[in-house]
Amino acid sequence: MGNAEKLTNDLKSLESEVQQRLAKAVEEKDLENISIEFLGKKGKLTNVLKALGTVSSEERGQIGKFANELKNSLEQSIETSRQHILEQYYNKLAETEWFDATILPARFPAGFHGGDVKGHIHPISAMQKRLEDIFSSMGFSIMDGPQVETDQNNFGMLNFTDDHPAREMQDTFYTEQDHLLRTHTSSVQIRGMKKLKPPMRMIAPGRVFRYEELDASHEHTFYQMEGMVIDHTVSVSNLLHLMHTLLEEIFQKHVEVRLRPGYFPFVEPGFELDMKCLICGGKGCPVCKYSGWSEVLPCGLVHPNVIKSGGLNPSQWQGAAFGLGLNRLVMMWYGIEDIRYFQNPDPDFLYQF
Ligand code: FA5
């Protein structure tokens, strides 16, 4: 047998070897191996073609053409096998697994399937609504503000100078120059003073964001409700009476509170109003950081600089403000012992309320 004939036979047997291997292939990985072993740079085809140098130039042209066609047809066969393997895979999957978008997850409670109930109000929204009702009945307007705020509304006009160390009290997510994700609902104070004519009372519930280290009582995304009263005279006793009335309205029982001095650049004097931790009854737990008290209601009398930023004359108008931590209030109400449950997508948590 001449060299050319041997080379051609070698190529043909390569072809049948590949076809036999393809017939046995069961997964994509097998095809990959076949492709590397026969058609790869150091594969069998390259090896066989090393003998091209031993044939005449005319034969080399013919055998080279045949080898190219063979390579293309083997690649095509491998691709056909891949389609076949995938098709078998999906057919098998369809027998064991299927998807029906109309079927509710098994975890939905009994009675959910046939009923009209499609879900229910989130406990934070429910608490927000309750507070809105309480405040509306006391003549408060409900204000809204953007979650992406200007540095001025969040800090500057609230008496935080540019280098004020208190800016670091609230670690901030900055979005673009002079804009940020609001760190507190106090950002709505200036908007409220400008929009509502004094004397005025407003609340501003909403979502706030802080670059926080998370633990049982700290989230990066949580809810607050701002409150603000502007009148000709507003005193600390007016403020404390309002805070106490509010907590008793919410909890519908006597609530033990304690007052501490608190520092916020936008109020003077400022207070931290804590309530006895209802999770542990004051014994100490991770939510109250083992102090027995939960910080829920910082408040104070509005600083004259803030009244001025709101476009009002501080010699004519005084104010009181508070910033309620909604998540922590809901935790106290339901006895939820970790704030991170609120962001957890597990519906089992929500079914409890
Ligand atoms: C403030 O945000 C002030 N703007 C509140 C204020 C308003 C003071 C008006 C005076 C006058 P503070 O950072 O303490 O303050 O947050 C207010 C409440 O939000 C806290 O008492 C707490 O209940 C809640 N809170 C604060 N940080 C977190 C957090 N990381 N996760 C969950 N709740 C939080």
Side-chain angles (χ1 to χ4, degrees), residues 170 184 186 189 210 212 217-219 222 224 226 264 266-267 295-296 298-299 321-323 325 328 339:
Q170 300 179 358
H184 52 180
S186 300
Q189 286 190 7
R210 291 186 197 176
E212 284 274 12
S217 58
H218 289 85
E219 257 295 358
F222 58 100
Q224 289 187 338
E226 194 73 8
F264 304 92
F266 39 96
V267 288
E295 276 180 25
V296 286
C299 53
F322 59 89
R328 290 201 194 154
I339 196 167

Side-chain angles (χ1 to χ4, degrees), residues 149-161:
E149 250 303 0
T150 59
D151 186 276
Q152 276 299 302
N153 276 333
N154 196 82
F155 288 129
M157 291 199 268
L158 294 180
N159 204 29
F160 288 81
T161 50

Side-chain angles (χ1 to χ4, degrees), residues 283-316:
K283 288 198 204 88
C285 67
V287 174
C288 62
K289 297 219 184 72
Y290 301 97
S291 68
W293 297 91
S294 179
E295 276 180 25
V296 286
L297 240 177
C299 53
L301 295 188
V302 181
H303 195 288
N305 288 350
V306 177
I307 303 254
K308 224 185 280 171
S309 298
L312 305 175
N313 183 344
S315 60
Q316 285 174 14

Side-chain angles (χ1 to χ4, degrees), residues 202-245:
M202 64 148 211
I203 52 165
R207 188 154 50 171
V208 300
F209 311 85
R210 291 186 197 176
Y211 185 56
E212 284 274 12
E213 194 150 325
L214 307 191
D215 61 28
S217 58
H218 289 85
E219 257 295 358
H220 50 72
T221 302
F222 58 100
Y223 292 80
Q224 289 187 338
M225 182 178 280
E226 194 73 8
M228 191 178 214
V229 175
I230 300 281
D231 213 321
H232 288 295
T233 52
V234 180
S235 66
V236 170
S237 58
N238 292 148
L239 171 68
L240 298 183
H241 176 70
L242 178 65
M243 300 295 90
H244 209 243
T245 312

Side-chain angles (χ1 to χ4, degrees), residues 1 14 25 42 58 62 69 92 102 134 137 152 229 232 243 248 264 296 302 312 332:
M1 191 193 307
L14 213 64
K42 294 179 184 162
E58 192 189 328
Q62 285 167 2
E69 285 165 3
K92 202 164 162 197
T102 63
I134 293 171
S137 74
Q152 276 299 302
V229 175
H232 288 295
M243 300 295 90
E248 301 217 330
F264 304 92
V296 286
V302 181
L312 305 175
M332 293 296 125

